């Protein structure tokens, strides 16, 4: 029989947290009054994660494992778990216990009340650097202004989805995945629960600055065309400025010819300015075209190397 709740856990080099995560998660799920399955997705870990996950699966048949052939990224790992989830409600949770499993029963309660998506809102974030807190907060607020999709601020991927919502979500097979935005895009009745985001239980973040930046740009570009519009605004502004200079130049030439200096400095800076603006705009175009290129290839999102406890 299919379980009622599926919990999807992406894992990338999480040997230090996987055992504790399993204990705490099952501790909570045993008492939530629903049948459940846990789907571990090993995203090409290079440490003992795979072996430890396989061991857990051998002991507990309610735990299933998908193992990728290499690292495909967090957002794709979540998607793979959902592709195989059998439950009527699907919960996505980080492995590092920053999202406390104890919040899951609250989410299930809201789901039973009729909400089809229940996302966790971080009322507090412990143990993050000020840089991460500042950039994350700024990012969510800028993104909100830039898109017509109502993406809630201060939410991550810790959320519960009804099967119906998940199936609609899974129809979107784009490579540049910004899961939290895509779930908002799908719509349906969305509710929230507040929680305090803990420190990582052990180990280091698997989102170094470069990955974070790519994630943020993916989010911006797949939910907004404002960057493209900003480039035309740049073009417009520099055109107006150069026009004003032109009028001024003609004016000086005719009325004060003795003051008409060769003026290579102003010319030079104008050329540099316009060159700079052009390069920025081409760069923005390039970001979009690069993504079109990724999508057009229609490659599968991920490759599974191993499956455990799936019939
Ligand atoms: N993760 C993953 N693939 C990656 C990077 C991260 O599956 O390429 C997983 C990681 O194991 C964790 C979750 O995604 O379960 C969130 O990562 P992390 O806690 O390192 O991110 P942070 O909380 O620092 O933003
Ligand atoms: Mg984390």
């Amino acid at each position: 029989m299919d379980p009622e709740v599926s919990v999807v856990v992406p894992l990338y080099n999480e040997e230090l947290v996987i055992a504790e995560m399993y204990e705490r998660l099952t501790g909570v799920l045993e008492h939530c009054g629903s049948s459940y399955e846990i789907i571990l997705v090993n995203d090409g870990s290079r440490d003992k994660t795979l072996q430890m996950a396989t061991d857990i699966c051998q002991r507990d048949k309610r735990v299933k494992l998908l193992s990728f052939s290499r690292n495909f990224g967090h957002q794709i790992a979540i998607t793979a778990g959902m592709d195989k989830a059998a439950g009527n409600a699907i919960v996505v949770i980080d492995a590092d216990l920053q999202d406390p499993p104890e919040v899951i029963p609250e989410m299930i309660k809201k789901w039973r009340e009729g909400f089809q998506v229940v996302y966790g809102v971080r009322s507090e974030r412990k143990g993050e650097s000020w840089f991460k807190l500042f950039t994350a907060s700024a990012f969510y607020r800028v993104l909100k202004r830039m898109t017509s999709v109502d993406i809630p601020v201060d939410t991550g991927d810790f959320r519960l989805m009804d099967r119906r919502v998940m199936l609609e979500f899974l129809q979107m097979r784009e490579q540049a995945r910004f899961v939290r935005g895509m779930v908002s895009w799908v719509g349906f009745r969305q509710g929230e629960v507040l929680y305090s985001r803990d420190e990582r239980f052990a180990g280091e973040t698997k989102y170094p600055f470069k990955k974070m930046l790519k994630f943020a740009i993916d989010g911006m570009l797949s939910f907004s065309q404002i960057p493209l519009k900003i480039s035309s605004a740049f073009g417009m502004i520099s055109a107006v400025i150069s026009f004003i200079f032109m009028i001024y130049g003609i004016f000086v030439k005719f009325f004060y010819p003795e003051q008409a200096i060769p003026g290579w400095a102003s010319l030079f800076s104008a050329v540099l300015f316009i060159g700079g603006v052009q390069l920025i705009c081409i760069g923005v175009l390039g970001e979009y075209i690069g993504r079109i290129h990724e999508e057009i290839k229609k490659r599968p999102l991920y490759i599974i190397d191993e499956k455990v406890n799936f019939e």
Side-chain angles (χ1 to χ4, degrees):
M1 213 183 67
D2 283 342
E4 193 176 14
V5 178
S6 301
V7 180
V8 173
V9 190
L11 296 157
Y12 178 53
N13 296 344
E14 299 288 11
E15 61 180 5
L16 295 176
V17 304
I18 181 166
E20 174 75 13
M21 179 275 296
Y22 167 71
E23 292 300 328
R24 241 176 95 183
L25 192 57
T26 41
V28 169
L29 292 173
E30 305 256 291
H31 294 104
C32 74
S34 312
S35 56
Y36 68 88
E37 64 175 355
I38 297 175
I39 301 180
L40 304 176
V41 186
N42 172 38
D43 185 11
S45 300
R46 261 165 275 175
D47 61 1
K48 293 207 199 72
T49 303
L50 175 59
Q51 190 197 327
M52 294 172 82
T54 319
D55 287 349
I56 294 175
C57 290
Q58 245 126 46
R59 276 185 281 136
D60 185 345
K61 297 293 172 211
R62 288 166 306 186
V63 183
K64 301 170 182 182
L65 171 69
L66 294 175
S67 188
F68 285 172
S69 59
R70 63 168 171 86
N71 180 250
F72 280 89
H74 175 213
Q75 303 288 300
I76 292 186
I78 296 175
T79 308
M82 287 198 247
D83 276 332
K84 298 286 185 292
N88 287 327
I90 291 83
V91 177
V92 175
I93 186 168
D94 281 358
D96 59 357
L97 296 169
Q98 281 196 288
D99 309 326
E102 291 72 25
V103 179
I104 296 177
E106 278 178 60
M107 291 180 163
I108 295 179
K109 194 164 152 260
K110 283 228 148 185
W111 172 60
R112 291 199 201 287
E113 284 167 15
F115 288 99
Q116 289 156 299
V117 176
V118 185
Y119 50 84
V121 177
R122 306 149 174 170
S123 57
E124 187 190 359
R125 294 181 87 159
K126 292 181 203 148
E128 305 266 27
S129 66
W130 65 266
F131 178 74
K132 171 103 180 220
L133 291 180
F134 173 75
T135 50
S137 157
F139 169 71
Y140 286 113
R141 278 151 188 87
V142 171
L143 182 64
K144 196 171 174 70
R145 293 187 152 256
M146 277 178 33
T147 164
S148 54
V149 180
D150 193 11
I151 302 173
V153 295
D154 299 329
T155 54
D157 292 312
F158 183 31
R159 64 182 70 216
L160 178 150
M161 262 169 276
D162 187 80
R163 181 159 198 86
R164 175 76 206 285
V165 178
M166 184 194 75
L167 291 177
E168 301 295 350
F169 165 83
L170 287 176
Q171 289 198 50
M172 296 184 253
R173 302 311 287 183
E174 61 221 57
Q175 299 278 345
R177 297 183 88 71
F178 187 66
V179 172
R180 50 201 75 168
M182 292 161 71
V183 175
S184 301
W185 185 89
V186 171
F188 293 103
R189 268 164 60 77
Q190 312 226 352
E192 55 176 58
V193 290
L194 283 177
Y195 74 101
S196 143
R197 191 162 161 92
D198 292 332
E199 270 177 63
R200 185 173 240 287
F201 173 72
E204 286 179 353
T205 174
K206 305 301 177 302
Y207 261 101
F209 183 70
K210 226 175 115 192
K211 263 192 192 169
M212 191 77 78
L213 193 65
K214 177 177 182 299
F215 177 66
I217 296 177
D218 274 350
M220 293 275 176
L221 301 196
S222 47
F223 280 90
S224 175
Q225 290 182 3
I226 288 186
L228 283 177
K229 293 181 183 142
I230 291 178
S231 3
S232 17
F234 267 142
M236 218 54 118
I237 293 168
S238 69
V240 169
I241 294 175
S242 55
F243 187 70
I244 293 170
F245 270 113
M246 215 168 73
I247 303 279
Y248 169 78
I250 294 170
F251 181 81
V252 170
K253 182 90 188 158
F254 279 102
F255 295 99
Y256 304 98
E258 69 285 356
Q259 278 185 27
I261 41 159
W264 70 271
S266 56
L267 196 74
F268 194 63
S269 48
V271 168
L272 274 187
F273 175 71
I274 294 177
V277 168
Q278 278 174 337
L279 285 181
I280 293 170
C281 298
I282 293 173
V284 173
L285 271 181
E287 289 286 331
Y288 280 93
I289 292 175
R291 278 163 178 76
I292 297 172
H293 179 232
E294 280 301 313
E295 303 295 347
I296 209 97
K297 288 185 276 194
K298 292 257 175 286
R299 293 195 178 159
L301 285 179
Y302 53 84
I303 293 170
I304 292 179
D305 178 29
E306 239 181 277
K307 273 196 249 177
V308 186
N309 285 351
F310 286 96
E311 288 89 47

